[in-house]
Amino acid sequence: MDKTSPFAIHPALAELCAHLARMMDLRAAAALLEWDQETYMPAGATAVRAEQLGTLHRLAHEWFIAERTGELLEAAAASVRELPPEHLAVRLVEVVREDYDKARRVPPELVAALARTESEAREAWKQARQENHYAVFAPYLERLLALNREKAEALGYEKHPYDALLDQYEPGMTTEAVRVLFEQLRAELVPLVRALADQPQPEAAFLHRYVEPERQWALNRMVLEAIGFDLQRGRLDASVHPFSTGIAIADVRLTTRIDPHDFASGLFATLHEAGHGLYEQGIDPVLERTPLADGASLGLHESQSRLWENLIGRSRPFWEYFYPRLREYFPGVLDDVPLDAFYRAINRVQPSLIRVEADEVTYNLHILLRFELEVALIEGNLSVQDLPAAWDEGMQRYLGLRPETLREGVLQDIHWSQGAFGYFPTYTLGNLMSAQLWRAIEQTVPDVAAFMQQGDFRPILTWLRTQIHRHGRAWKAPVLLEQATGHPLDAEPWLTYIRKKYQALYPAASVSLS
Amino acid sequence: MDKTSPFAIHPALAELCAHLARMMDLRAAAALLEWDQETYMPAGATAVRAEQLGTLHRLAHEWFIAERTGELLEAAAASVRELPPEHLAVRLVEVVREDYDKARRVPPELVAALARTESEAREAWKQARQENHYAVFAPYLERLLALNREKAEALGYEKHPYDALLDQYEPGMTTEAVRVLFEQLRAELVPLVRALADQPQPEAAFLHRYVEPERQWALNRMVLEAIGFDLQRGRLDASVHPFSTGIAIADVRLTTRIDPHDFASGLFATLHEAGHGLYEQGIDPVLERTPLADGASLGLHESQSRLWENLIGRSRPFWEYFYPRLREYFPGVLDDVPLDAFYRAINRVQPSLIRVEADEVTYNLHILLRFELEVALIEGNLSVQDLPAAWDEGMQRYLGLRPETLREGVLQDIHWSQGAFGYFPTYTLGNLMSAQLWRAIEQTVPDVAAFMQQGDFRPILTWLRTQIHRHGRAWKAPVLLEQATGHPLDAEPWLTYIRKKYQALYPAASVSLS
């Protein structure tokens, strides 16, 4: 260990770090194997890759929950007792202690049963989707719910079993707090979406003009570098579903999907993943190979992706800089499309059935529905059998649409088949955080729009690095958010942002926007 | 475990396999991280990747040498006692028992000291090469030799400490046996090379005509598939130094180096690596995730690469099929070059300083020199200080050339800096085996040339799969070679092959070839 490391101050602490570094290396290897699986792995290796990944995850977990970790933790805790609470060594010990206690609360048999059932459920989900036949998936969902209720009991909670599940992805968040925020959103969004849907829609067919993949790759890479993503410490590749993954702080990989007839979809996927990637690249390098080298919560992670994708990437100042460049990269493609028309097209609001294709206004309604349903499922107030009808009814209520197949309805997302209950709300929490952070940025850098118009994203990235990125998991998301913005999580900044932006875009609908 | 697996016959055996599968998964992960490092890893991740790899190798090693492995081995050995000796379960127990005993003979402190010194030595080697300054590397070489002598003592040997080192790469081979074979080669090759060097050289400048990389990739992939490499269970990528690696039997990856001004070098590198890859892809799938899923020895592995690169890939029948296709893939490039001229050009013999660029005739002399020197170094009959002079003198004696820099002399290869003593001879042993196997193929498939002329490589591959590939490490190389060819390893088939081929290519030199 480097002598200048904040963890080199005591042998007991250094020993804990060396012990944890092994787990981090195993996780990094698993992350690389997963990245490879989606990018370059030959198709014939699917089965053996699943075994290899199973081993790596199991070894990392066993290594962490071993008695030895507890012993090293205790010695390390004693060694940092005199340090101020904000010292990274104190933070490390505290975070690892909490992780350790949580991980040990779940019995190994339950961990194994979950892993087994999730893997079977994923296959059943694929088949049910394919055959539009819910009964194929239902028994697995039933079992996953039972196992997750068991897990919630094992993890413990104060008020609601769903709290324990939520806490896995968004530490410190409660069902009640989510309900309050989501109710605020519901009350404004449902009428807003209805009002916007009644408006004449801007032209957008030009977004589907043919653009050679090579030109798209070049544009995507140029934009990535322009906003500050370091391609010396990261990559951009192709995959069916875009994602980002940190193999290390010095090795952050993004993927996107390039469609010759939909350049915008690929570019916004890249910006979204770049937001995640900038977060991971921005973590203080002294945290490399420690459990602090990660985002503070899924919601905060998502706030970064949404900030770059929407608040920045779908803003007018951003395109004032990039639109002329995009036209250079795609010669002749958009010569007849003025910036204003382009800006309107990429900000079209239109209720739709598929979450991942939703615009920034309707998106959260998809999440509100999923939250409502999964809480009811966990509570036992909604049966697995009644779920499809509840889904369809909810879609009608929130977005005025009715799915015709399970694939565009209740079976559209992979999350439940992976046993991820409590995950969906983090998407909306991330959206809310992104607007709250953006407001703080605008207050600190009042001429941020002018910087963007000149293609200078350094003031934004510097602020994010200082306030959020560098800390990794050293502090929890609510602490970071309040330190950075002066306020606890609040729906108002996001609602204000949406109101203002879409009043300008759809002036005729403004009556309904208050 | 699949119930039809030969290792599912007894719970004790299945338990041993499950235990070893974890080690194999760790090794597979390490192999993927190493592949990634040479292909797609961002440059900034070099340091952290070294740590990650260190952890994976260490964990795999610790897992294997643990007492638990010994206990499981004993139980498994008891469970297979009644089986015939050729049953795969018996082979597995025997091979793992031998691996285990060897691995446990080397003290963990020595393993650690070697790993540390190798990693320092590699850096020193790079620097010494760069600065043409031997003294930078010498002390590390000294230490590596001392540690390897220690390792040889720990491993044990009958006659010569070098036997123990050789045995790591070529199980069962001895210093004395190598000496006898190499002396035979020396006696014929030195005068042969001298005679060929005096001959007028065929035209070869056309091999350096510009060919677009994309066209080269297409040709390389077409050839790969034509000879039977399965791109559904493997890949071909670019790297600075071509290599092949098995992540699994179902996931075998090759790399090559595409130079727009040297298409032949890339293509022969691809054929070489394809030989390795076909071996790994041909291992019986029931051996997946077991320690038998590997080549029987480095020499036998090299025999496969040399067979496809030289005996097949530099043969006239091969090019009778592929040359018209190459001209289609590279339109206009070789229209003025008849097949015969092409065939002569790719078989030019010319003494040169760099081993990896040597032709198939001079290549073994490079190895003879290295073997001679490393035996003397291990024996202590040659000092590290005197090594560069001994190298230069040997090059003069074998090839009539004198290096002007260390980079084209004693520091050209990475092997010694990695502590790999006993490795070099396997290259030449592989060459000898390749010709011996080829003779057996010609005897079993008398019209093999006609098949090649029609682009049908199935008879060759089927023979290799049956005789060599499918067995993996179930039998040692000498056993497989003798089963396949009816003879123990012998230099005569290779010498006869070379004599015949180059007498035809250089008829004026034929007097010297007897």
Side-chain angles (χ1 to χ4, degrees):
Chain A
M1 180 175 288
D2 183 347
K3 274 177 201 117
T4 63
S5 159
F7 312 116
I9 47 166
H10 195 283
L13 193 66
E15 207 181 340
L16 174 67
C17 282
H19 178 81
L20 297 170
R22 280 204 172 188
M23 171 189 70
M24 295 304 291
D25 290 339
L26 285 167
R27 287 194 196 161
L32 187 76
L33 266 70
E34 281 159 355
W35 169 84
D36 178 73
Q37 186 166 28
E38 306 300 328
T39 51
Y40 295 109
M41 189 187 79
T46 307
V48 69
R49 177 57 52 90
E51 300 282 358
Q52 292 162 345
L53 278 168
T55 292
L56 292 174
H57 287 301
R58 214 157 36 234
L59 284 173
H61 181 71
E62 285 172 12
W63 185 264
F64 185 56
I65 62 164
E67 296 291 339
R68 175 100 184 113
T69 307
E71 293 160 16
L72 290 170
L73 250 175
E74 261 175 56
S79 80
V80 301
R81 205 162 294 152
E82 307 291 314
L83 296 175
E86 69 279 7
H87 192 287
L88 278 175
V90 180
R91 304 303 317 138
L92 177 85
V93 169
E94 204 172 305
V95 168
V96 174
R97 159 64 64 196
E98 207 174 298
D99 286 352
Y100 182 68
D101 291 343
K102 276 188 202 165
R104 303 239 316 172
R105 265 183 242 144
V106 186
E109 309 77 54
L110 181 53
V111 172
L114 272 163
R116 211 170 37 243
T117 314
E118 284 160 17
S119 127
E120 294 165 4
R122 208 156 44 243
E123 293 309 306
W125 169 75
K126 276 188 208 158
Q127 195 195 329
R129 230 168 102 93
Q130 187 85 29
E131 301 171 1
N132 199 39
H133 190 29
Y134 183 69
V136 172
F137 179 55
Y140 294 94
L141 182 56
E142 197 81 74
R143 254 188 281 161
L144 280 174
L145 282 165
L147 290 168
N148 270 280
R149 280 188 212 104
E150 229 182 285
K151 192 181 190 183
E153 296 304 324
L155 286 167
Y157 53 87
E158 270 182 47
K159 292 194 178 151
H160 198 289
Y162 190 82
D163 289 351
L165 302 176
L166 192 55
D167 183 81
Q168 302 173 93
Y169 308 108
E170 201 60 34
M173 184 54 67
T174 65
T175 315
E176 187 50 32
V178 174
R179 267 196 184 128
V180 170
L181 290 164
F182 283 16
E183 177 48 32
Q184 243 181 300
L185 292 177
R186 198 200 52 73
E188 263 208 58
L189 278 178
V190 174
L192 169 56
V193 167
R194 207 152 295 164
L196 294 178
D198 289 342
Q199 296 301 309
Q201 286 297 331
E203 176 61 37
F206 51 78
L207 295 179
H208 299 282
R209 290 180 184 166
Y210 177 83
V211 184
E212 261 175 70
E214 271 320 305
R215 292 187 187 276
Q216 294 195 41
W217 283 112
L219 176 82
N220 277 268
R221 293 217 164 80
M222 180 275 283
V223 172
L224 265 188
E225 295 215 82
I227 65 174
F229 186 81
D230 181 357
L231 285 168
Q232 286 298 305
R233 299 188 300 132
R235 295 185 51 84
L236 176 69
D237 295 274
S239 71
V240 177
H241 302 288
F243 66 95
S244 79
T245 183
I247 317 297
I249 298 171
D251 187 359
V252 177
R253 305 193 181 192
L254 319 178
T255 70
T256 191
R257 180 185 41 211
I258 295 297
D259 176 344
H261 292 285
D262 197 354
F263 69 86
S265 146
L267 181 60
F268 286 110
T270 298
L271 280 168
H272 180 99
E273 303 310 333
H276 288 301
L278 288 169
Y279 190 176
E280 305 247 335
Q281 284 193 336
I283 298 171
D284 188 337
V286 300
L287 302 181
E288 188 79 285
R289 296 175 76 229
T290 76
L292 299 187
D294 201 351
S297 78
L298 285 195
L300 198 60
H301 229 304
E302 191 72 4
S303 80
Q304 300 306 295
S305 58
R306 296 305 238 172
L307 188 67
W308 290 96
E309 178 193 357
N310 289 334
L311 288 99
I312 298 171
R314 282 191 165 90
S315 75
R316 224 175 173 291
F318 180 91
W319 285 107
E320 278 164 28
Y321 178 74
F322 279 113
Y323 195 57
R325 276 149 195 90
L326 177 138
R327 281 172 156 179
E328 276 169 35
Y329 274 74
F330 301 168
V333 176
L334 295 166
D335 286 0
D336 59 332
V337 180
L339 168 60
D340 202 57
F342 179 79
Y343 173 66
R344 280 171 191 281
I346 60 170
N347 283 296
R348 264 202 324 177
V349 177
Q350 200 153 39
S352 65
L353 289 165
I354 306 293
R355 174 183 63 86
V356 296
E357 293 165 8
D359 56 78
E360 66 176 331
V361 180
T362 58
Y363 187 93
N364 292 322
L365 292 175
H366 292 265
I367 299 303
L368 265 52
L369 172 62
R370 285 157 178 75
F371 169 69
E372 188 178 303
L373 297 174
E374 65 181 23
V375 171
L377 285 167
I378 289 293
E379 282 171 341
N381 290 330
L382 174 65
S383 73
V384 165
Q385 205 195 317
D386 294 339
L387 175 63
W391 179 284
D392 292 354
E393 182 275 320
M395 280 304 288
Q396 186 71 56
R397 189 159 33 94
Y398 282 133
L399 289 157
L401 297 171
R402 212 171 184 87
E404 302 211 334
T405 63
L406 296 168
R407 196 194 188 86
E408 53 179 30
V410 69
L411 295 188
Q412 70 182 261
D413 296 309
I414 200 171
H415 303 56
W416 289 339
S417 81
Q418 295 177 318
F421 301 97
Y423 188 115
F424 278 124
T426 67
Y427 289 123
T428 287
L429 297 173
N431 284 330
L432 302 186
M433 290 179 206
S434 73
Q436 192 167 328
L437 291 168
W438 187 245
R439 181 178 289 179
I441 290 172
E442 286 182 320
Q443 280 159 1
T444 321
V445 189
D447 44 357
V448 64
F451 279 107
M452 285 201 280
Q453 281 159 347
Q454 286 153 42
D456 186 353
F457 298 90
R458 284 171 302 180
I460 300 173
L461 191 53
T462 303
W463 189 90
L464 290 170
R465 291 242 147 117
T466 313
Q467 298 293 330
I468 308 289
H469 300 178
R470 68 186 170 99
H471 300 292
R473 293 179 69 213
W475 303 97
K476 289 203 175 148
V479 176
L480 289 172
L481 191 71
E482 189 147 0
Q483 273 176 359
T485 69
H487 302 281
L489 180 58
D490 184 358
E492 183 272 321
W494 187 81
L495 283 167
T496 304
Y497 154 73
I498 290 291
R499 228 180 272 135
K500 204 176 142 200
K501 177 170 175 181
Y502 289 90
Q503 238 158 16
L505 280 161
Y506 290 83
S510 62
V511 207
S512 325
L513 302 166
S514 60
Chain B
M1 180 176 288
D2 185 347
K3 275 176 199 116
T4 63
S5 159
F7 312 116
I9 47 166
H10 193 286
L13 193 66
E15 207 181 339
L16 174 67
C17 283
H19 178 80
L20 296 170
R22 280 204 172 189
M23 171 189 70
M24 294 305 291
D25 291 340
L26 285 167
R27 287 195 197 162
L32 188 77
L33 266 70
E34 281 158 355
W35 169 84
D36 178 74
Q37 187 166 29
E38 305 300 327
T39 52
Y40 296 109
M41 189 187 81
T46 306
V48 70
R49 177 57 53 90
E51 299 282 358
Q52 292 162 343
L53 277 169
T55 292
L56 292 174
H57 286 301
R58 212 157 38 233
L59 284 174
H61 182 71
E62 284 172 12
W63 186 264
F64 185 55
I65 61 163
E67 296 291 339
R68 175 101 185 112
T69 308
E71 293 159 17
L72 291 170
L73 250 176
E74 260 174 55
S79 80
V80 302
R81 205 163 294 151
E82 307 292 313
L83 295 175
E86 69 279 8
H87 193 288
L88 279 175
V90 180
R91 304 303 318 137
L92 177 85
V93 169
E94 204 172 304
V95 169
V96 174
R97 160 62 63 196
E98 205 175 299
D99 286 353
Y100 182 67
D101 291 343
K102 275 187 201 165
R104 302 234 324 168
R105 265 182 241 143
V106 187
E109 309 78 56
L110 181 53
V111 173
L114 271 162
R116 213 171 34 245
T117 313
E118 283 160 17
S119 127
E120 293 165 5
R122 210 155 44 242
E123 293 310 306
W125 169 75
K126 277 187 207 156
Q127 196 195 329
R129 233 166 99 94
Q130 188 85 28
E131 301 171 3
N132 200 39
H133 189 31
Y134 184 69
V136 172
F137 179 55
Y140 294 94
L141 182 55
E142 197 81 74
R143 252 188 282 163
L144 281 174
L145 281 166
L147 289 168
N148 270 279
R149 279 188 213 107
E150 227 182 287
K151 193 181 189 182
E153 295 306 324
L155 286 167
Y157 53 86
E158 271 182 46
K159 292 193 177 151
H160 197 289
Y162 189 82
D163 289 351
L165 302 176
L166 192 54
D167 183 80
Q168 301 174 94
Y169 309 107
E170 201 60 34
M173 186 53 67
T174 65
T175 315
E176 187 49 33
V178 174
R179 267 197 184 128
V180 170
L181 290 165
F182 283 16
E183 177 47 33
Q184 242 182 300
L185 292 178
R186 198 201 50 73
E188 259 204 65
L189 279 179
V190 174
L192 169 56
V193 167
R194 206 151 296 163
L196 295 178
D198 289 343
Q199 296 301 309
Q201 285 296 331
E203 175 60 39
F206 51 78
L207 295 179
H208 299 282
R209 291 180 184 166
Y210 176 83
V211 184
E212 261 176 70
E214 270 321 304
R215 292 188 187 276
Q216 293 196 41
W217 283 112
L219 176 81
N220 278 268
R221 292 215 165 82
M222 182 274 285
V223 173
L224 264 189
E225 295 215 84
I227 65 173
F229 186 80
D230 183 357
L231 285 168
Q232 286 299 304
R233 299 189 300 132
R235 294 186 51 83
L236 177 69
D237 295 274
S239 71
V240 178
H241 303 287
F243 66 96
S244 80
T245 183
I247 317 298
I249 298 171
D251 188 358
V252 177
R253 305 194 181 191
L254 319 177
T255 70
T256 191
R257 179 186 40 213
I258 296 297
D259 176 344
H261 292 286
D262 197 354
F263 69 86
S265 145
L267 182 60
F268 286 109
T270 298
L271 280 168
H272 180 97
E273 301 311 333
H276 288 301
L278 288 169
Y279 191 177
E280 306 248 335
Q281 283 193 336
I283 297 171
D284 188 338
V286 300
L287 303 182
E288 188 79 285
R289 295 176 77 227
T290 76
L292 299 187
D294 201 350
S297 79
L298 285 196
L300 198 59
H301 230 304
E302 190 73 4
S303 80
Q304 300 305 294
S305 59
R306 295 305 237 172
L307 188 68
W308 289 95
E309 178 192 357
N310 290 334
L311 287 99
I312 298 171
R314 282 191 166 89
S315 75
R316 226 179 172 286
F318 180 91
W319 285 106
E320 278 164 31
Y321 178 73
F322 279 114
Y323 195 56
R325 275 149 196 89
L326 177 138
R327 281 173 156 178
E328 277 169 35
Y329 275 73
F330 301 169
V333 176
L334 294 167
D335 286 359
D336 58 331
V337 180
L339 169 60
D340 202 59
F342 180 78
Y343 173 65
R344 279 170 191 284
I346 60 171
N347 282 297
R348 264 203 325 178
V349 176
Q350 201 153 39
S352 66
L353 289 164
I354 306 293
R355 174 183 62 85
V356 296
E357 293 165 8
D359 55 77
E360 65 176 332
V361 180
T362 57
Y363 187 91
N364 291 323
L365 292 175
H366 291 266
I367 300 303
L368 266 52
L369 172 63
R370 284 156 178 77
F371 168 69
E372 188 178 302
L373 296 174
E374 65 182 22
V375 170
L377 285 167
I378 289 292
E379 283 171 340
N381 290 330
L382 173 65
S383 73
V384 165
Q385 205 194 319
D386 293 340
L387 175 63
W391 178 283
D392 293 354
E393 182 275 320
M395 279 304 288
Q396 186 71 57
R397 188 158 34 91
Y398 282 132
L399 289 158
L401 297 171
R402 211 169 184 87
E404 302 211 334
T405 63
L406 296 168
R407 197 193 188 86
E408 52 179 30
V410 69
L411 294 187
Q412 69 182 260
D413 295 309
I414 200 172
H415 303 56
W416 288 339
S417 81
Q418 293 177 320
F421 301 97
Y423 188 115
F424 277 125
T426 68
Y427 289 124
T428 287
L429 297 174
N431 284 330
L432 302 187
M433 290 180 207
S434 73
Q436 192 167 330
L437 291 168
W438 186 245
R439 182 179 288 180
I441 291 172
E442 285 183 320
Q443 281 158 3
T444 321
V445 190
D447 44 356
V448 63
F451 278 107
M452 285 200 281
Q453 281 159 349
Q454 286 154 43
D456 186 353
F457 298 90
R458 284 170 302 180
I460 301 173
L461 191 54
T462 303
W463 190 92
L464 290 170
R465 292 241 145 118
T466 313
Q467 298 293 331
I468 307 290
H469 300 177
R470 68 187 170 98
H471 301 291
R473 291 180 70 213
W475 302 98
K476 288 202 175 148
V479 175
L480 289 172
L481 192 71
E482 188 147 0
Q483 272 175 0
T485 69
H487 301 281
L489 180 58
D490 184 358
E492 183 273 320
W494 187 80
L495 283 168
T496 303
Y497 155 72
I498 289 292
R499 227 180 272 135
K500 203 176 140 200
K501 178 170 175 180
Y502 289 90
Q503 237 159 16
L505 280 160
Y506 290 84
S510 61
V511 208
S512 324
L513 301 167
S514 59

